[in-house]
Each structure stands twice: as C-alpha cells, then as structure tokens.
Amino acid sequence: MNVVSLLPSATEICYALGIEPVGVSHECDVPPEATDHPSINYAHVDPTASSGEIDAQVLEAEAEHGGVYGIDIDALDRVDPDLIVTQGICDVCAVDEVLVADAIEEIEADPEVLTTDPHSVGDVLDDIRTVGAATGREERAAELVTDLEARIERVRAATAEVKERPEVAILDWLDPVMVAGHWMPEIVEWAGGEYGLADHGQRSTPREWEQIQEYDPDVLIAAPCGFDLEQTAENRTDLIERPGWADLHAVETGRVYAMDGHHYVNRPGPRLVDTLEHLAGVLHPDVVDAPPEDVATAFAGPELRTL
C-alpha cells in the first residue's frame, strides 16, 4: 500500500506501525529517514521568521492563497497514493482535508483519505488504531496503544498523591500570546499540575498578556508551534520584554522553561507520552525521574530553561 502522510504526527504513527510512507510533508522529520521521501506539500510562510512575522505571513497567505499550504500535484501523482493521511484540526498547522480533496481531482490515482482531528490524548490513541485498521496493522496498533497507556498510567500513579500541584501555563505562540489547548490541559494534570487557562480539548486560543499576568503561574513554559529550542530562544524577547515579566511568580522562582513545541507539544502522535514524562519530571522531580541532562539544560539565563 502506498501511503502518503501530510503531517508529522501521522508520519510518526506510520513508522511506529512499521509503515514507510512513499510521500510526506515538508515538516516530517521523525524518524530521520522520513526526510528521504519526497515532500508532497509546501508552505507560503517562512518558518525561520520571528513569531510576529510568521503571524503576519499567515494572514497574508490566507488572503492571497486561501491558506498557508499548497500541494505539489506532480509529486503527489508520481507516488501513486492508495491512502492519504491528513488532518482537520488546524489549517495553519498542516495541510487540511479540503486542500487534499481538491488535489485528488487532479491526479490519476483515487486514494482513500483518512482525516485525523485529535483534541485529546485519547483521540491520538484512537488515531493510531484507525491508521492501523486502514493499513492492515491492527495488531501492531493495539500493541503500541497498550504500551503507551501503560506509560501514561505509570506517571499518573506516581503523581496521584502529590499534594503541591503547581499552576502551569504553556504558551504555544508568543506574538500574539496563545495558550496551548487540546491535549495539553490533561497532560499537565496527569503530570501533577493545575491548568487553569484552558479546558480539556479546548482549542489553542490567543490571550491578552494581562490574562497571563492575572493567572500568574507557578510554572511557565514557552513552546511555540513549529519552533525548536533554538528558535524559541531567538524569540524569547517576545516574552521577557513584556511589561510585568519580571514580576511573574514563575520568573521570580526560576520556573520558566522552554519546550520544543515543534516535537513535543504541538505534534499529536506517540511522543505526547514522552511529553508527559518529561513534564512530570520537571514539575515533580522528587517523585518522577527528571528529564536527562541533554533534554533539560539551561539557556538564555537562569530564568529560562529547556525541556
């Protein structure tokens, strides 16, 4: 079966199930061999720009092109897909199902389209089962889900009796400020924290900086969508130059962190369980093993650390 994956999380699921896609998105980079396959889509924005510039480019792309992404029709036609995995969760994060439907009309193949739309960890586990069913890998999918569920339960059991549960804020964009939603509220709670800025399954939404100040989290994590740690560090002035930054409780107590949002917060695949384990280790290192040193290392001064 020729499988095309148009989002990084689906590519990770495919490889975890023993499926090597014939085509991927331009952002698929895990495992590393995924980059060897042809990119089926492209972006109308510069992913290396600052968070404010990217926000402006997104608005311009939507006005000029009708969206952030385009599909290389010739590349899609050449890989002769039987199945295309895409998403309906966010047209800024990856190619959506509408763009795929239009592209299919222009190629010779008539592939099945599998659309993922996860808003919780449970939805992600369901997506693994769905991809497994669509590709004849049901047994492997069931084994993977069982393993992930066991790891989740180990963390939840470790943090269940924690009495001091810090209030946590995770920002998945910095200019404008956006609070991470979807699966992150439950992950924070499983990790032993409180998440008062978004409900379970709620979409990530822009917030006024004053709302963050009023919430005054015990732990603040910057995890911009699509940014790795280096790019997050380059954009740290979007936070540290805001009024009242130095007065936040998280800053005063040295509990401001950066997390690789591109890989660990905004990618709804199997590694969300890694995210849970890392986060629990940072929130409660006395009851959960802290992340390894190559994951949790200082950058940009003592008030910002990386996960």
Side-chain angles (χ1 to χ4, degrees):
M1 173 180 284
N2 291 342
V3 178
V4 167
S5 168
L6 294 179
L7 61 160
S9 58
T11 296
E12 292 189 28
I13 290 172
C14 285
Y15 274 97
L17 298 180
I19 302 160
E20 186 169 353
V22 295
V24 297
S25 83
H26 68 295
E27 292 185 316
C28 293
D29 55 4
V30 175
E33 52 265 34
T35 61
D36 296 334
H37 298 293
S39 295
I40 305 301
N41 71 304
Y42 54 88
H44 297 296
V45 301
D46 176 9
T48 66
S50 70
S51 57
E53 291 169 340
I54 291 175
D55 187 66
Q57 289 176 20
V58 167
L59 295 176
E60 182 178 352
E62 290 175 339
E64 293 187 5
H65 306 286
V68 175
Y69 299 99
I71 291 181
D72 185 333
I73 302 298
D74 291 338
L76 182 62
D77 196 22
R78 284 195 295 272
V79 298
D80 190 28
D82 299 304
L83 174 69
I84 300 176
V85 186
T86 185
Q87 58 88 40
I89 188 172
C90 175
D91 59 5
V92 175
C93 297
V95 174
D96 64 27
E97 56 190 330
V98 176
L99 194 60
V100 172
D102 292 341
I104 288 175
E105 294 183 0
E106 300 186 44
I107 65 175
E108 184 174 348
D110 184 23
E112 178 186 352
V113 177
L114 193 163
T115 302
T116 66
D117 189 21
H119 297 276
S120 68
V121 175
D123 291 343
V124 174
L125 300 181
D126 286 342
D127 285 342
I128 293 172
R129 297 185 184 97
T130 300
V131 174
T135 56
R137 303 297 176 96
E138 293 95 336
E139 184 175 345
R140 174 61 191 134
E143 293 172 353
L144 177 59
V145 168
T146 297
D147 176 66
L148 294 173
E149 289 176 333
R151 290 169 58 193
I152 291 169
E153 287 308 310
R154 279 196 293 270
V155 173
R156 296 186 69 181
T159 62
E161 303 303 321
V162 169
K163 292 181 172 55
E164 297 293 331
R165 300 176 70 88
E167 292 187 325
V168 179
I170 299 180
L171 308 180
D172 70 0
W173 201 247
L174 307 183
D175 184 18
V177 169
M178 295 184 69
V179 172
H182 303 295
W183 41 83
M184 288 313 298
E186 63 184 338
I187 285 180
V188 169
E189 292 179 10
W190 294 346
E194 299 288 346
Y195 202 71
L197 289 173
D199 296 327
H200 289 203
Q202 181 179 348
R203 291 181 180 273
S204 300
T205 53
R207 299 297 178 92
E208 297 295 331
W209 176 245
E210 290 74 18
Q211 291 178 275
I212 308 300
Q213 290 179 286
E214 182 178 354
Y215 181 59
D216 196 18
D218 300 310
V219 177
L220 189 149
I221 298 173
C225 183
F227 284 18
D228 61 14
L229 292 175
E230 182 179 358
Q231 194 169 3
T232 301
E234 291 170 353
N235 285 267
R236 63 187 178 275
T237 54
D238 289 336
L239 287 181
I240 66 177
E241 293 185 356
R242 289 183 179 274
W245 167 261
D247 298 324
L248 292 176
H249 182 60
V251 176
E252 292 178 333
T253 58
R255 301 198 75 185
V256 178
Y257 303 85
M259 179 179 273
D260 184 334
H262 181 53
H263 287 103
Y264 290 105
V265 174
N266 302 290
R267 188 177 293 197
R271 287 190 301 150
L272 281 184
V273 179
D274 293 28
T275 304
L276 168 64
E277 293 168 339
H278 291 328
L279 183 57
V282 167
L283 297 184
H284 299 289
D286 53 333
V287 297
V288 179
D289 290 339
E293 285 301 314
D294 62 342
V295 177
T297 55
F299 87 97
E303 77 281 6
L304 291 178
R305 295 182 65 83
T306 65
L307 281 178

